[in-house]
Amino acid sequence: MKLTVEALRTALLATADAIEQQKDELTDLDREIGDGDHGINMSRGFQGVKKELEVQNSLADLGELSKLVGMTLIKTVGGASGPLYGTAFVKFATKWSGMKSVEGEDLFAGFKEATEGIKSRGKSQAGQKTMVDIWEPFTASLQADSTLEEVIDQALVDTKDLVATKGRASYFGEATKGVQDPGALSSSILLKNIVEVLHD
Ligand SMILES: Nc1ncnc2c1ncn2[C@@H]1O[C@H](COP(=O)(O)OP(=O)(O)OP(=O)(O)O)[C@@H](O)[C@H]1O
Ligand SMILES: [Mg+2]
């Protein structure tokens, strides 16, 4: 499995479109167990990314591309999820600096660093019903012989039945059980679009 600059760019543009399509769904989930802004936040962020990608056509490597995406998300998203997604991409940039494509250990190292970055920025860990519950199993499965789409789908199923103990959703306590975490859903959209462009 290999991730190139062009492939990541394609995945990000596809994510921006998918977020637009699922914007209302993301917002509705956040209305149930949050403050009803996740779709709006993610839309603002990824439309910002799309605009940057359309004007910048000289992104030399995965480090430059990831850094641009991270900074754009931090600047535009607002809400808890902005700095968290932004951190993930800034962490990709630190691991993939100067690289035009990554595979194997380098691919894994980027996702490991990104997941650890989200956890340390959010002071969170797996099992608290957040985006970490998608990023962590996804990252672990990069080193296993598993189908990545299935890992993401299973992680979404598992996350849905957790009780939120972190972030705004934690105020809703037991009522969060059985409702999908909006950040878990948006993370699955992003990661599935990245899986789509990984090639042998
Ligand atoms: N501490 C955290 N660690 C990891 N993920 C988190 C944390 N806090 C929130 N999240 C994720 O962010 C998502 C909510 O993002 P959203 O864009 O709605 O921000 P918000 O919680 O409304 O922020 P704010 O309270 O600043 O308005 C959650 O569904 C969850 O997945
Ligand atoms: Mg919210």
Side-chain angles (χ1 to χ4, degrees), residues 4 48-49 58 69 75 91 120 123 169 196:
T4 64
V49 167
S58 62
V69 172
K75 263 195 310 207
K91 295 293 182 181
S120 101
K123 298 185 178 60
E196 281 281 313

Side-chain angles (χ1 to χ4, degrees), residues 30 35 37-38:
D30 198 34
D35 56 353
D37 62 357
H38 192 61

Side-chain angles (χ1 to χ4, degrees), residues 26 30-31 33-39 41 79-81 168 182:
L26 292 167
D30 198 34
R31 199 170 285 131
I33 60 169
D35 56 353
D37 62 357
H38 192 61
N41 288 343
S81 57
R168 203 177 265 282

Side-chain angles (χ1 to χ4, degrees), residues 2 16 48 54 90 102 104 111 128 138 160 168 173 177-178 186:
K2 187 173 172 184
E54 282 164 355
V90 168
V102 287
F111 279 94
Q128 296 177 318
F138 173 81
K160 190 169 177 178
R168 203 177 265 282
K177 211 171 167 173
S186 60

